[in-house]
Amino acid sequence: MILFASQSSDDTAALARRIGARLRSGDVLLLDGPIGAGKTHFARALIQSLLIRPEDVPSPTFTLVQVYDSVAGPIWHADLYRLTDPSEVEELGLSDAFDSAICLIEWPDRLGIRLPPGALRLVFAQGAGDDQRQITCVAGDGWPDRLKDIVP
Ligand SMILES: Nc1ncnc2c1ncn2[C@@H]1O[C@H](COP(=O)(O)OP(=O)(O)O)[C@@H](O)[C@H]1O
Ligand SMILES: [Mg+2]
């Protein structure tokens, strides 16, 4: 488990870029934490650091999924808050993407039991100050090595 005390949105963006630089197809990041904790901010910074062509990265609140072309292959950014039934995950094509793309998943608890094994879980929590966040990386198989020295 790796703890990161973010002092600002820039801090969180910098962590996102450092993690992004180590990702490859088939990696799944589960972004947990309440509304406003910084999940989308983290995903946006990570995606923008890897985009082939600059583009906006909106929150996928209503589309549920946005797909981007990145230098590390396709990136799927999902926000499953509005998912009503875990079976919709198949319709979205998300389970195939878990194997073939980089996936950043907000509200992964909506997946029910379909949580991909070997995912990296990041838990975002509000800190003491307005702009402070505690980000806890819960690293499954292989991740501790890959995240070595990720926190300065
Ligand atoms: N340390 C921080 N890390 C991440 N976001 C922060 C931080 N401090 C302030 N913020 C702000 O908090 C908001 C988080 O919103 P968002 O990323 O949409 O949350 P979520 O997707 O978790 O609901 C953004 O406006 C962001 O600029
Ligand atoms: Mg969000």
Side-chain angles (χ1 to χ4, degrees):
M1 206 158 79
I2 299 163
L3 299 180
F4 180 72
S6 169
Q7 304 301 326
S8 67
S9 46
D10 283 353
D11 253 7
T12 298
L15 177 71
R17 290 190 291 266
R18 287 199 298 276
I19 293 179
R22 299 184 188 193
L23 297 183
R24 53 185 184 232
S25 300
D27 285 341
V28 179
L29 268 55
L30 308 175
L31 309 178
D32 264 315
I35 290 173
K39 303 179 294 297
T40 299
H41 180 75
F42 175 95
R44 179 177 295 125
L46 190 159
I47 292 165
Q48 281 179 333
S49 71
L50 294 175
L51 280 178
I52 292 175
R53 287 170 301 276
E55 63 179 299
D56 284 345
V57 177
S59 172
T61 315
F62 296 103
T63 52
L64 297 191
V65 170
Q66 301 278 147
V67 183
Y68 299 90
D69 283 329
S70 93
V71 294
I75 302 181
W76 286 51
H77 180 198
D79 180 338
L80 303 181
Y81 188 75
R82 283 160 200 278
L83 199 74
T84 46
D85 189 299
S87 67
E88 283 178 66
V89 169
E90 308 302 336
E91 277 168 50
L92 290 169
L94 206 51
S95 12
D96 291 334
F98 288 155
D99 298 322
S100 59
I102 292 171
C103 293
L104 312 177
I105 315 290
E106 300 184 45
W107 299 99
D109 54 306
R110 302 293 196 269
L111 285 170
I113 57 166
R114 281 159 221 260
L115 282 178
L120 172 65
R121 187 161 168 254
L122 302 178
V123 184
F124 292 74
Q126 179 68 48
D130 273 358
D131 290 344
Q132 293 180 324
R133 302 288 188 278
Q134 180 75 40
I135 303 171
T136 308
C137 309
V138 188
D141 296 350
W143 282 107
D145 262 1
R146 293 179 62 196
L147 293 181
K148 205 165 171 295
D149 304 325
I150 201 84
V151 171

